[in-house]
Structures are given as C-alpha cells and as structure tokens.
Amino acid sequence: MPFLSATLARVKPSPTIAMNTRSQELKAEGKDVIGLAAGEPDFDTPDNIKAAGVAAIEAGKTKYTAPDGIPELKKAVCAKFARENGLSYEPSQVSVSSGGKQILYNALMATLNPGDEVVIPAPYWVSYPDMVLLAGGTPVVVEAGIETGFKLTPEALDAAITDKTKWFIFNSPSNPTGAGYTRDELKALTDVLMKHPQVWVMTDDMYEHLVFDDFTFCTPAEVEPALYDRTLTCNGVSKAYAMTGWRIGYAAGPVEIINAMRKIQSQSTTNPCTISQWAAVEALNGTQDFLAPNRALFQRRRDLVVEGLNACPGITCPVPEGAFYVYPSIAGCIGKTTTSGKTIATDEDFCLALLEESGVAVVFGAAFGLSPHFRVSYATDEATLADACARIRSFCESLT
Ligand SMILES: Cc1ncc(COP(=O)(O)O)c(C=O)c1O
C-alpha cells in the first residue's frame, strides 16, 4: 500500500522551485541577483493597521474565535462590499480565512466532486489548477493570449463550458498579467454565464485596489446582479494593505456555500489568526488614504518597466491595467543562443539563462500556463527596476 495519497500524485510540484533554488544558490555564492519574482508589495503594513494588531494583543484578544471570523470583521467586510462594490451582503454570507488562498481552497473543497469541471483562463495564478485537482475536480484551462490583451473572449468561455462545469474562476486584475476587464468586457462574459445556469463564478478580486490610469474595477455580481445567487466574491487584505504575512482573506456569497466552507475550516485551521482579524477590521474600516499614493507609485513603476522591456530586442510588453505584474512575450528570443552557448527553446530556458548570466530572477510563463512569456513583479524600487531592465536589455542584445 503506498504511503502517500493518490491526491498528492495529481498535483505537480511548484514549477517555480527550480528558479528560486538557483536564485538562492547564486545569492549564497555572493552574486548580485535582482529578485523580481515575489508576489507581494515591498512596503510595510500601514501604521494604523499594525497598531490595531498590537492593541488586540494588549487587550488579550488572543484566543480562538468563531471558525470563519469575528462578527466585527464580518461587519467590516459587508460594509466594504456595500461601499466599494455596491453589493449587499449579510454577515451570515461572509467567510474569513487565513488568506485569500484558503478562501478559494475551502470553496473548492466544499463544492467539487469527481468529474466536476472548473474553467480557468490561462495565464492563471499558479494555484488555481492544483487547488482544483486537490479538491478532486478537473481544471479546464482556456487560453487568453496576448492578442486579446490576456482577456478571455465570450466565445472561448462559451466553448469551454459543458454540463459538467461547476465553476468559472475569474481574476481581474490578473496575476500574472495585470490585465483588468472593463465593465463591457466583463458583461460579455456574464452574458455567457447567464446561458449556463449550472455554472457558478468564483471571482478573485485580490488586486481590486491596484488599478491604473482611468481604469475602473468591477466585479461579476455587480455587473450582472442576476448572478448574485451563484457568485462567490473573494478578496483579501494581503495586496492592497501590504498584509501578506497577516494571512487574512474573505469572501461573500450564498449562505449555503459559506456554511459549507465554515465546516471545512472548522476541521482544518479552526479560525484565522485572531490578532490578524482585528488588524483587518482596521484595514477595512480605517483610513484608506494610503491607497491612492500607492497606486500612483505602482503606476510609475509599471510605466518604467513596460518602457524598459519594450526596448529589449525580442521582447513585447503590453501595458497592463492593474496589479503589480507585467507579462511580456519573448517570442522574438526563442531559438536564439546565449553568450555561453545555451539555446533558448522555452521561456524556462530564457529565465534560467537570464538568472545565470545577468542576475535577474523572474518567473517563466509555463508556470502560469501560457508561453513563451515571463512574469515580472515590479513591487520594488525604481532604481532596482531600472537596473533590472538594463540587464535584461543587455542580455537580449547579446543573444545571437
Ligand atoms: C490572484 C491571487 N489570488 C489570491 C492570492 C492569495 O492571497 P493570500 O496571500 O491572501 O492568500 C494571490 C497571491 O499571490 C493572488 O495573486
């Protein structure tokens, strides 16, 4: 009898491990490596939020809570959805977890049976397909390439849906592309979903507050109120409030699924960290003043990186609407040879050679289900980004 589970065998190891391991080895050897692979803001959690965490500790708010969140946080989540998204939810429709990731995982665990299909546009956030597999479902990956701005077309969505489709996972602005759907683009997708009443929407709105220029964020249940009863609206404090380590995510949706998610959570992690929940209450209820300057800062970085990458021979970098990622194509570098004689056949080859020869760590597109691309996380200072772009440019110029 095998010791490890059959479920584990369905999941692939993280494709980014090779890159991270090599990057760490190079750093340990004393090489100057610029890391543009991490998916988290480079600035600290705002002081008012940190203070709320400290106050919670000092007030003895350090015990177990209700499995899916303290009433104060559920109330703050309801107020956030009403204020920012025009969505009306009761606290009984809200679930709080240890990060946005656990929210998505609980929802999939609570709903998927063998044979159930989940439509996932590619490029996707690395965890979606594997979470579906862990929960016993079948990911159905549909390409949304550079020619459509990395956005799924209504025709492609319609073609991917079968009578076995249970969920459509939607993520805008997206990790890894930064692509954000306009209201009209999203409405075209929700129109398709209206034709398929068996399909629910899991919308991952994690990058809601990181949008640029005049782009306006929107979410499926807001754009198509008739989908309210089959939408799980997922969000979290990790990215907008620089709280990745606090581990708080939340979702709102129909009571039946929220109760099912609570059951899973109560038998796994019990409840999200009590102290972090109090800090998240402050994040959602307190001042939002730092969001606008952060957006402006990220927009400047985006512009710098897009310009820098488009100056590299063989690279084409679209301008994303949000998040803190760009997802350039390296189609023009495929088939070329590096100065050390390595042939670039794939985006993984490109990224490994870029790391070895120029000391820039990025994540190759195959990890996100769409090649030949790579993902740059520009959540770092402008001088470092300029240095990274200059190194990528010399690397590309050296290819023959
Ligand atoms: C699209 C997307 N969803 C969810 C998450 C998970 O967020 P959390 O750190 O709150 O679990 C991430 C984190 O990288 C993400 O990029």
Side-chain angles (χ1 to χ4, degrees):
M1 187 177 47
F3 181 64
L4 297 178
S5 76
T7 303
L8 191 70
R10 288 200 295 269
V11 181
K12 57 184 180 327
S14 166
T16 54
I17 283 178
M19 287 293 298
N20 288 340
T21 310
R22 192 63 196 126
S23 170
Q24 275 154 17
E25 280 168 6
L26 288 172
K27 276 188 187 157
E29 287 165 20
K31 297 254 166 60
D32 164 28
V33 176
I34 302 179
L36 302 181
E40 61 183 350
D42 55 321
F43 46 86
D44 212 1
T45 306
D47 285 343
N48 62 312
I49 299 174
K50 287 199 272 192
V54 171
I57 294 174
E58 286 175 345
K61 292 171 174 165
T62 54
K63 307 286 204 269
Y64 293 132
T65 70
D68 57 0
I70 53 175
E72 291 81 353
L73 183 49
K74 290 190 171 197
K75 222 172 122 197
V77 168
C78 293
K80 174 260 176 284
F81 279 127
R83 179 178 73 236
E84 295 178 351
N85 310 109
L87 293 173
S88 170
Y89 290 110
E90 296 296 321
S92 59
Q93 293 178 276
V94 171
S95 187
V96 180
S97 281
S98 301
K101 192 179 240 176
Q102 196 191 13
I103 282 285
L104 303 169
Y105 187 71
N106 285 349
L108 293 168
M109 287 298 283
T111 54
L112 291 183
N113 290 308
D116 288 347
E117 294 176 355
V118 178
V119 173
I120 304 172
Y124 44 69
W125 180 45
V126 284
S127 297
Y128 298 146
D130 288 289
M131 286 199 288
V132 169
L133 288 165
L134 276 173
T138 305
V140 175
V141 173
V142 195
E143 270 195 20
I146 195 166
E147 41 325 308
T148 57
F150 304 115
K151 294 177 202 174
L152 190 65
T153 62
E155 296 75 26
L157 175 60
D158 203 26
I161 292 174
T162 71
D163 55 5
K164 295 192 191 125
T165 309
K166 189 164 264 177
W167 287 105
F168 166 50
I169 300 187
F170 178 72
N171 174 220
S172 165
S174 141
N175 179 1
T177 64
Y181 289 69
T182 63
R183 180 170 282 267
D184 287 349
E185 287 163 345
L186 178 50
K187 181 72 169 62
L189 296 184
T190 59
D191 284 349
V192 172
L193 296 172
M194 289 309 294
K195 295 196 301 178
H196 302 280
Q198 80 281 17
V199 183
W200 282 55
V201 197
M202 190 176 294
T203 179
D204 181 349
D205 299 350
M206 192 55 84
Y207 295 93
E208 165 176 17
H209 288 294
L210 292 168
V211 292
F212 312 126
D213 307 314
D214 52 1
F215 182 84
T216 306
F217 170 85
C218 51
T219 190
E222 174 196 7
V223 168
E224 179 47 86
L227 280 177
Y228 179 87
D229 287 334
R230 49 188 172 107
T231 299
L232 187 69
T233 305
C234 308
N235 210 316
V237 295
S238 296
K239 314 286 173 166
Y241 303 96
M243 291 178 71
T244 45
W246 296 79
R247 312 303 307 129
I248 295 290
Y250 56 82
V255 170
E256 189 189 3
I257 182 171
I258 296 297
N259 288 348
M261 289 162 66
R262 178 168 60 235
K263 195 166 166 188
I264 305 252
Q265 189 152 292
S266 70
Q267 295 293 21
S268 52
T269 53
T270 300
N271 65 261
C273 169
T274 307
I275 299 147
S276 300
Q277 290 189 64
W278 286 103
V281 170
E282 173 61 19
L284 296 180
N285 286 350
T287 174
Q288 306 291 305
D289 283 356
F290 54 86
L291 292 178
N294 282 348
R295 259 197 297 274
L297 181 79
F298 275 122
Q299 183 168 327
R300 273 206 312 278
R301 293 170 173 182
R302 177 202 63 174
D303 293 344
L304 186 158
V305 169
V306 168
E307 196 188 332
L309 291 175
N310 277 323
C312 303
I315 291 186
T316 310
C317 185
V319 183
E321 290 85 2
F324 41 71
Y325 309 105
V326 290
Y327 200 65
S329 161
I330 53 149
C333 300
I334 296 295
K336 296 201 167 168
T337 307
T338 71
T339 45
S340 64
K342 289 191 191 115
T343 302
I344 295 180
T346 64
D347 48 27
E348 185 169 3
D349 294 339
F350 178 92
C351 294
L352 280 170
L354 179 68
L355 176 61
E356 297 283 346
E357 298 182 19
S358 304
V360 180
V362 293
V363 185
F364 52 90
F368 307 101
L370 189 87
S371 294
H373 287 264
F374 65 92
R375 186 193 77 173
V376 170
S377 165
Y378 53 82
T380 191
D381 63 273
E382 288 176 36
T384 305
L385 292 172
D387 184 5
C389 288
R391 291 190 197 193
I392 297 171
R393 184 172 177 170
S394 331
F395 176 77
C396 290
E397 283 169 352
S398 73
L399 298 175
T400 50

Short mmCIF file of all heavy atoms in Angstrom, two decimals, residues 39-40 98-104 125 128 171 173-176 204-207 235-239 243-245 247-249 325 375, ligand 1:
data_model
loop_
_atom_site.label_atom_id
_atom_site.label_comp_id
_atom_site.label_asym_id
_atom_site.label_seq_id
_atom_site.Cartn_x
_atom_site.Cartn_y
_atom_site.Cartn_z
N GLY A 39 5.55 37.88 -5.23
CA GLY A 39 4.24 38.49 -5.46
C GLY A 39 3.70 39.24 -4.27
O GLY A 39 2.58 38.99 -3.83
N GLU A 40 4.52 40.16 -3.73
CA GLU A 40 4.00 40.93 -2.59
C GLU A 40 4.53 42.36 -2.61
O GLU A 40 5.64 42.61 -3.09
CB GLU A 40 4.31 40.26 -1.25
CG GLU A 40 5.76 40.08 -0.95
CD GLU A 40 5.98 39.32 0.36
OE1 GLU A 40 5.02 39.11 1.11
OE2 GLU A 40 7.14 38.96 0.61
N SER A 98 -7.57 32.19 6.47
CA SER A 98 -6.14 32.53 6.57
C SER A 98 -5.59 32.84 5.18
O SER A 98 -4.90 32.02 4.57
CB SER A 98 -5.37 31.37 7.19
OG SER A 98 -5.89 31.10 8.46
N GLY A 99 -5.97 33.99 4.66
CA GLY A 99 -5.51 34.40 3.32
C GLY A 99 -6.56 34.10 2.27
O GLY A 99 -7.44 33.24 2.44
N GLY A 100 -6.43 34.85 1.17
CA GLY A 100 -7.32 34.62 0.03
C GLY A 100 -7.19 33.18 -0.48
O GLY A 100 -8.14 32.59 -0.98
N LYS A 101 -6.00 32.64 -0.34
CA LYS A 101 -5.75 31.28 -0.84
C LYS A 101 -6.63 30.26 -0.13
O LYS A 101 -7.23 29.39 -0.76
CB LYS A 101 -4.27 30.95 -0.64
CG LYS A 101 -3.82 29.71 -1.37
CD LYS A 101 -2.35 29.48 -1.11
CE LYS A 101 -1.57 29.49 -2.39
NZ LYS A 101 -0.13 29.37 -2.21
N GLN A 102 -6.76 30.39 1.19
CA GLN A 102 -7.57 29.41 1.91
C GLN A 102 -9.06 29.57 1.59
O GLN A 102 -9.80 28.59 1.57
CB GLN A 102 -7.34 29.51 3.44
CG GLN A 102 -7.87 28.27 4.13
CD GLN A 102 -7.94 28.36 5.63
OE1 GLN A 102 -7.82 29.43 6.22
NE2 GLN A 102 -8.16 27.22 6.27
N ILE A 103 -9.47 30.80 1.32
CA ILE A 103 -10.86 31.02 0.92
C ILE A 103 -11.18 30.21 -0.34
O ILE A 103 -12.18 29.48 -0.41
CB ILE A 103 -11.10 32.53 0.64
CG1 ILE A 103 -11.25 33.31 1.93
CG2 ILE A 103 -12.27 32.78 -0.30
CD1 ILE A 103 -12.59 33.13 2.63
N LEU A 104 -10.30 30.35 -1.36
CA LEU A 104 -10.52 29.66 -2.63
C LEU A 104 -10.47 28.14 -2.42
O LEU A 104 -11.30 27.40 -2.95
CB LEU A 104 -9.46 30.09 -3.66
CG LEU A 104 -9.36 31.59 -3.95
CD1 LEU A 104 -8.12 31.89 -4.78
CD2 LEU A 104 -10.60 32.09 -4.68
N TRP A 125 -3.24 32.34 -12.14
CA TRP A 125 -2.45 32.30 -10.90
C TRP A 125 -2.11 30.83 -10.63
O TRP A 125 -3.00 29.97 -10.72
CB TRP A 125 -3.24 32.91 -9.74
CG TRP A 125 -2.49 32.90 -8.44
CD1 TRP A 125 -1.19 33.25 -8.25
CD2 TRP A 125 -2.98 32.49 -7.17
NE1 TRP A 125 -0.83 33.09 -6.93
CE2 TRP A 125 -1.92 32.63 -6.25
CE3 TRP A 125 -4.21 32.03 -6.72
CZ2 TRP A 125 -2.05 32.32 -4.90
CZ3 TRP A 125 -4.35 31.72 -5.38
CH2 TRP A 125 -3.28 31.87 -4.48
N TYR A 128 -4.52 27.96 -8.94
CA TYR A 128 -5.89 27.55 -9.31
C TYR A 128 -6.00 26.09 -9.77
O TYR A 128 -6.78 25.32 -9.21
CB TYR A 128 -6.50 28.46 -10.38
CG TYR A 128 -6.69 29.92 -10.03
CD1 TYR A 128 -6.54 30.90 -11.01
CD2 TYR A 128 -7.05 30.33 -8.75
CE1 TYR A 128 -6.73 32.25 -10.73
CE2 TYR A 128 -7.24 31.68 -8.46
CZ TYR A 128 -7.07 32.63 -9.45
OH TYR A 128 -7.25 33.96 -9.18
N ASN A 171 -10.35 36.31 -12.53
CA ASN A 171 -9.37 37.08 -11.76
C ASN A 171 -8.99 38.35 -12.53
O ASN A 171 -8.34 38.27 -13.56
CB ASN A 171 -8.14 36.19 -11.50
CG ASN A 171 -6.99 36.91 -10.84
OD1 ASN A 171 -5.82 36.69 -11.18
ND2 ASN A 171 -7.26 37.77 -9.88
N PRO A 173 -7.96 42.65 -11.64
CA PRO A 173 -6.74 42.50 -12.42
C PRO A 173 -6.05 41.17 -12.10
O PRO A 173 -6.17 40.67 -10.99
CB PRO A 173 -5.89 43.68 -11.98
CG PRO A 173 -6.83 44.69 -11.44
CD PRO A 173 -7.95 43.90 -10.83
N SER A 174 -5.34 40.69 -13.10
CA SER A 174 -4.84 39.32 -13.03
C SER A 174 -3.40 39.21 -12.53
O SER A 174 -2.56 40.05 -12.82
CB SER A 174 -4.94 38.72 -14.44
OG SER A 174 -3.83 37.90 -14.75
N ASN A 175 -3.16 38.17 -11.80
CA ASN A 175 -1.83 37.65 -11.58
C ASN A 175 -1.74 36.46 -12.54
O ASN A 175 -2.55 35.54 -12.36
CB ASN A 175 -1.66 37.19 -10.13
CG ASN A 175 -0.30 36.62 -9.85
OD1 ASN A 175 0.55 36.56 -10.73
ND2 ASN A 175 -0.09 36.17 -8.62
N PRO A 176 -0.92 36.42 -13.55
CA PRO A 176 0.35 37.13 -13.71
C PRO A 176 0.36 38.29 -14.71
O PRO A 176 1.43 38.87 -14.90
CB PRO A 176 1.24 36.03 -14.27
CG PRO A 176 0.32 35.29 -15.21
CD PRO A 176 -1.04 35.31 -14.52
N ASP A 204 -11.90 36.27 -8.05
CA ASP A 204 -10.76 36.54 -7.17
C ASP A 204 -10.36 38.00 -7.41
O ASP A 204 -9.65 38.33 -8.36
CB ASP A 204 -9.62 35.57 -7.53
CG ASP A 204 -8.40 35.76 -6.67
OD1 ASP A 204 -8.32 36.76 -5.93
OD2 ASP A 204 -7.48 34.91 -6.75
N ASP A 205 -10.83 38.87 -6.52
CA ASP A 205 -10.68 40.32 -6.69
C ASP A 205 -9.50 40.88 -5.89
O ASP A 205 -9.49 42.06 -5.50
CB ASP A 205 -11.98 41.03 -6.26
CG ASP A 205 -13.18 40.60 -7.09
OD1 ASP A 205 -13.00 39.92 -8.11
OD2 ASP A 205 -14.32 40.95 -6.71
N MET A 206 -8.51 40.05 -5.67
CA MET A 206 -7.39 40.39 -4.79
C MET A 206 -6.68 41.70 -5.15
O MET A 206 -6.17 42.39 -4.29
CB MET A 206 -6.41 39.22 -4.84
CG MET A 206 -5.34 39.24 -3.82
SD MET A 206 -5.96 39.35 -2.16
CE MET A 206 -6.34 37.67 -1.76
N TYR A 207 -6.67 42.04 -6.46
CA TYR A 207 -5.92 43.23 -6.88
C TYR A 207 -6.84 44.42 -7.18
O TYR A 207 -6.44 45.36 -7.88
CB TYR A 207 -5.04 42.90 -8.10
CG TYR A 207 -3.96 41.90 -7.75
CD1 TYR A 207 -4.16 40.54 -7.92
CD2 TYR A 207 -2.75 42.32 -7.19
CE1 TYR A 207 -3.18 39.61 -7.57
CE2 TYR A 207 -1.77 41.40 -6.84
CZ TYR A 207 -1.99 40.05 -7.04
OH TYR A 207 -1.01 39.15 -6.68
N ASN A 235 -11.86 38.11 -1.88
CA ASN A 235 -10.96 39.25 -1.79
C ASN A 235 -10.08 39.04 -0.56
O ASN A 235 -10.13 37.99 0.08
CB ASN A 235 -11.80 40.54 -1.69
CG ASN A 235 -11.11 41.74 -2.31
OD1 ASN A 235 -9.92 41.94 -2.10
ND2 ASN A 235 -11.85 42.55 -3.06
N GLY A 236 -9.29 40.06 -0.22
CA GLY A 236 -8.43 39.90 0.95
C GLY A 236 -7.64 41.17 1.19
O GLY A 236 -7.68 42.10 0.37
N VAL A 237 -6.94 41.19 2.29
CA VAL A 237 -6.19 42.40 2.65
C VAL A 237 -4.71 42.31 2.25
O VAL A 237 -3.97 43.29 2.40
CB VAL A 237 -6.31 42.70 4.16
CG1 VAL A 237 -7.75 43.04 4.54
CG2 VAL A 237 -5.80 41.54 5.01
N SER A 238 -4.28 41.16 1.73
CA SER A 238 -2.85 40.92 1.51
C SER A 238 -2.19 41.96 0.63
O SER A 238 -1.13 42.50 0.98
CB SER A 238 -2.63 39.54 0.89
OG SER A 238 -3.06 38.54 1.77
N LYS A 239 -2.76 42.23 -0.53
CA LYS A 239 -2.06 43.07 -1.52
C LYS A 239 -2.34 44.55 -1.32
O LYS A 239 -1.42 45.36 -1.30
CB LYS A 239 -2.45 42.65 -2.94
CG LYS A 239 -2.45 41.15 -3.18
CD LYS A 239 -1.07 40.54 -3.30
CE LYS A 239 -1.17 39.02 -3.36
NZ LYS A 239 0.01 38.34 -3.78
N MET A 243 -0.36 43.32 3.58
CA MET A 243 -0.56 42.47 4.76
C MET A 243 -0.38 40.99 4.43
O MET A 243 -1.06 40.13 5.01
CB MET A 243 -1.96 42.70 5.34
CG MET A 243 -2.14 44.07 5.97
SD MET A 243 -3.82 44.31 6.57
CE MET A 243 -3.88 43.23 8.00
N THR A 244 0.54 40.68 3.50
CA THR A 244 0.66 39.27 3.06
C THR A 244 0.93 38.32 4.23
O THR A 244 0.41 37.21 4.24
CB THR A 244 1.79 39.14 2.01
OG1 THR A 244 2.93 39.87 2.46
CG2 THR A 244 1.36 39.70 0.66
N GLY A 245 1.73 38.76 5.18
CA GLY A 245 2.08 37.86 6.29
C GLY A 245 1.02 37.75 7.38
O GLY A 245 1.11 36.88 8.24
N ARG A 247 -2.12 37.04 6.81
CA ARG A 247 -2.93 35.93 6.37
C ARG A 247 -4.43 36.11 6.64
O ARG A 247 -5.04 35.36 7.41
CB ARG A 247 -2.45 34.58 6.98
CG ARG A 247 -0.97 34.31 6.90
CD ARG A 247 -0.39 34.34 5.49
NE ARG A 247 -1.09 33.48 4.55
CZ ARG A 247 -1.54 33.93 3.36
NH1 ARG A 247 -1.36 35.18 2.97
NH2 ARG A 247 -2.15 33.11 2.56
N ILE A 248 -5.00 37.10 6.00
CA ILE A 248 -6.46 37.28 6.09
C ILE A 248 -7.04 37.47 4.68
O ILE A 248 -6.63 38.37 3.93
CB ILE A 248 -6.85 38.48 6.97
CG1 ILE A 248 -6.44 38.27 8.43
CG2 ILE A 248 -8.38 38.74 6.88
CD1 ILE A 248 -7.20 37.21 9.20
N GLY A 249 -7.98 36.58 4.34
CA GLY A 249 -8.76 36.73 3.11
C GLY A 249 -10.22 36.57 3.47
O GLY A 249 -10.55 36.10 4.57
N TYR A 325 2.24 43.35 -11.88
CA TYR A 325 2.96 42.42 -12.74
C TYR A 325 2.89 42.87 -14.19
O TYR A 325 1.91 43.49 -14.60
CB TYR A 325 2.32 41.03 -12.68
CG TYR A 325 2.12 40.50 -11.29
CD1 TYR A 325 0.84 40.47 -10.72
CD2 TYR A 325 3.19 40.03 -10.53
CE1 TYR A 325 0.65 39.99 -9.43
CE2 TYR A 325 3.00 39.54 -9.25
CZ TYR A 325 1.71 39.52 -8.70
OH TYR A 325 1.53 39.04 -7.43
N ARG A 375 7.00 36.50 -16.18
CA ARG A 375 6.31 37.46 -15.31
C ARG A 375 7.33 38.24 -14.52
O ARG A 375 8.23 37.67 -13.90
CB ARG A 375 5.37 36.75 -14.34
CG ARG A 375 4.54 37.75 -13.52
CD ARG A 375 3.84 37.09 -12.34
NE ARG A 375 4.75 36.83 -11.24
CZ ARG A 375 4.39 36.38 -10.04
NH1 ARG A 375 3.11 36.09 -9.81
NH2 ARG A 375 5.28 36.18 -9.08
C1 LIG B 1 -4.62 36.24 -7.79
C2 LIG B 1 -4.29 35.89 -6.39
N1 LIG B 1 -5.24 35.36 -5.62
C3 LIG B 1 -5.00 35.01 -4.35
C4 LIG B 1 -3.76 35.18 -3.79
C5 LIG B 1 -3.55 34.74 -2.38
O1 LIG B 1 -3.51 35.76 -1.49
P1 LIG B 1 -3.24 35.50 0.05
O2 LIG B 1 -1.80 35.84 0.29
O3 LIG B 1 -4.19 36.41 0.76
O4 LIG B 1 -3.52 34.06 0.35
C6 LIG B 1 -2.73 35.71 -4.56
C7 LIG B 1 -1.36 35.85 -4.00
O5 LIG B 1 -0.38 35.90 -4.68
C8 LIG B 1 -3.00 36.08 -5.88
O6 LIG B 1 -2.05 36.61 -6.67
#
